[in-house]
């Protein structure tokens, strides 16, 4: 029995050595800090095939957004409320500025902004600001009926006389459709005011003339009375 025990212990040691020889234990590299990793440069390079599933959602970056002389990108000097301006898209193409988000030509435009409806002495004039959309023209309605059409570069226009309280609306149009209307209520001027002012002025003038005539008549009467008294006094003294 003692001999068999002495034989088993060396056999176990030999088996452990054989197992280590077949699968060497991992060793630590003392020159590399813990937590560091290495990647090959090729692992970080993506080809165009990697973006095939995003073709409908990723917009290409245009070189026109980069300023020609460097520096930061600025907004275009474009005011949607002014007439006869250079289109913002042309400004962006020539200067590299940024335009507000414009809806494309195949989408109905956003509504413009109606800012004024007023009487200018001969007709009603309206003013509006353009939407940030592709626009081919504007339609103005008075009380829900088409009144007049304007060009895409116009921001104001006359619509004639409106003789009753009406809702004035302006809408933008393009080949894809028409926008919602931007509206304001217009109350016409009172045409009877000049007539009333004339009547009041005439009445005041007549009263003034009548007052002057009364004062003149009283003044002449007083002079006649004074002349009669003087002649009576002169006859008494004689």
């Amino acid at each position: 029995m003692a001999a068999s025990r002495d034989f088993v212990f060396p056999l176990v040691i030999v088996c452990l050595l054989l197992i280590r020889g077949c699968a060497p234990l991992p060793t630590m590299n003392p020159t590399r800090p813990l937590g560091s990793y290495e990647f090959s440069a090729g692992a970080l390079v993506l080809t165009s095939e990697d973006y095939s599933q995003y073709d409908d959602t990723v917009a290409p970056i245009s070189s026109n957004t980069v300023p020609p002389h460097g520096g930061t990108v600025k907004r275009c000097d474009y005011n949607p409320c002014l007439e006869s301006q250079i289109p913002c898209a042309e400004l962006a193409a020539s200067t590299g500025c940024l335009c507000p988000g414009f809806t494309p030509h195949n989408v109905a435009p956003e509504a413009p902004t109606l800012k004024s409806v007023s009487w200018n002495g001969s007709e009603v004039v309206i003013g509006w600001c353009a939407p940030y959309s592709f626009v081919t023209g504007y339609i103005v309605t008075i009380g829900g009926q088409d009144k007049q059409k304007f060009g895409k570069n116009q921001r104001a226009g006359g619509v004639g006389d409106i003789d009753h309280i009406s809702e004035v609306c302006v809408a933008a149009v393009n080949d894809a459709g028409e926008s919602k209307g931007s509206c304001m209520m217009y109350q016409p001027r009172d045409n009877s005011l000049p007539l009333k002012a004339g009547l009041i002025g005439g009445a005041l003038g007549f009263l003034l003339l009548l007052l002057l005539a009364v004062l003149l008549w009283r003044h002449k009467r007083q002079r006649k009375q004074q002349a009669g008294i003087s002649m009576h006094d002169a006859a008494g003294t004689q």
Side-chain angles (χ1 to χ4, degrees):
M1 294 294 294
S4 62
R5 291 176 182 175
D6 295 338
F7 178 76
V8 170
F9 182 72
L11 182 62
V12 171
I13 294 175
V14 171
C15 291
L16 291 175
L17 291 176
L18 291 175
I19 292 172
R20 181 173 181 179
C22 295
L25 297 176
T27 58
M28 299 293 294
N29 186 355
T31 62
R32 180 185 302 174
L34 293 177
S36 63
Y37 300 91
E38 291 182 356
F39 298 93
S40 64
L44 297 179
V45 177
L46 299 177
T47 64
S48 59
E49 296 179 355
D50 297 316
Y51 292 97
S52 59
Q53 58 180 325
Y54 303 110
D55 289 343
D56 296 334
T57 58
V58 178
I61 299 175
S62 173
S63 60
N64 290 334
T65 59
V66 180
H69 302 293
T72 59
V73 180
K74 297 181 179 180
R75 294 181 180 179
C76 296
D77 185 14
Y78 177 79
N79 188 336
C81 301
L82 298 180
E83 292 187 350
S84 303
Q85 292 189 99
I86 299 175
C88 195
E90 295 184 12
L91 292 175
S94 61
T95 65
C97 61
L98 292 179
C99 288
F102 274 72
T103 57
H105 66 90
N106 58 350
V107 176
E110 299 291 333
T113 301
L114 183 60
K115 61 178 182 178
S116 64
V117 180
S118 60
W119 178 261
N120 74 341
S122 59
E123 64 177 343
V124 176
V125 175
I126 68 172
W128 65 88
C129 298
Y132 290 118
S133 303
F134 178 81
V135 176
T136 58
Y138 297 92
I139 296 178
V140 175
T141 58
I142 309 296
Q145 298 181 352
D146 289 355
K147 185 69 175 181
Q148 194 165 347
K149 296 181 180 180
F150 297 92
K152 63 181 180 179
N153 293 324
Q154 291 183 264
R155 301 294 182 267
V159 293
D161 190 12
I162 303 176
D163 58 0
H164 57 281
I165 299 175
S166 303
E167 184 181 45
V168 181
C169 300
V170 59
V173 295
N174 61 17
D175 295 336
E178 181 177 333
S179 73
K180 294 181 179 180
S182 177
C183 305
M184 294 179 65
M185 295 301 298
Y186 173 74
Q187 185 169 358
R189 65 192 185 109
D190 189 355
N191 293 327
S192 64
L193 286 178
L195 178 61
K196 291 178 180 179
L199 292 175
I200 293 174
L204 291 176
F206 175 75
L207 291 176
L208 180 60
L209 291 175
L210 182 60
L211 179 60
L212 291 175
V214 171
L215 292 176
L216 182 61
W217 175 77
R218 291 186 62 182
H219 178 68
K220 290 181 177 181
R221 184 179 178 184
Q222 288 178 356
R223 291 186 63 180
K224 287 181 178 181
Q225 290 177 353
Q226 291 177 357
I229 295 174
S230 299
M231 292 176 62
H232 184 271
D233 293 340
T237 55
Q238 291 177 356

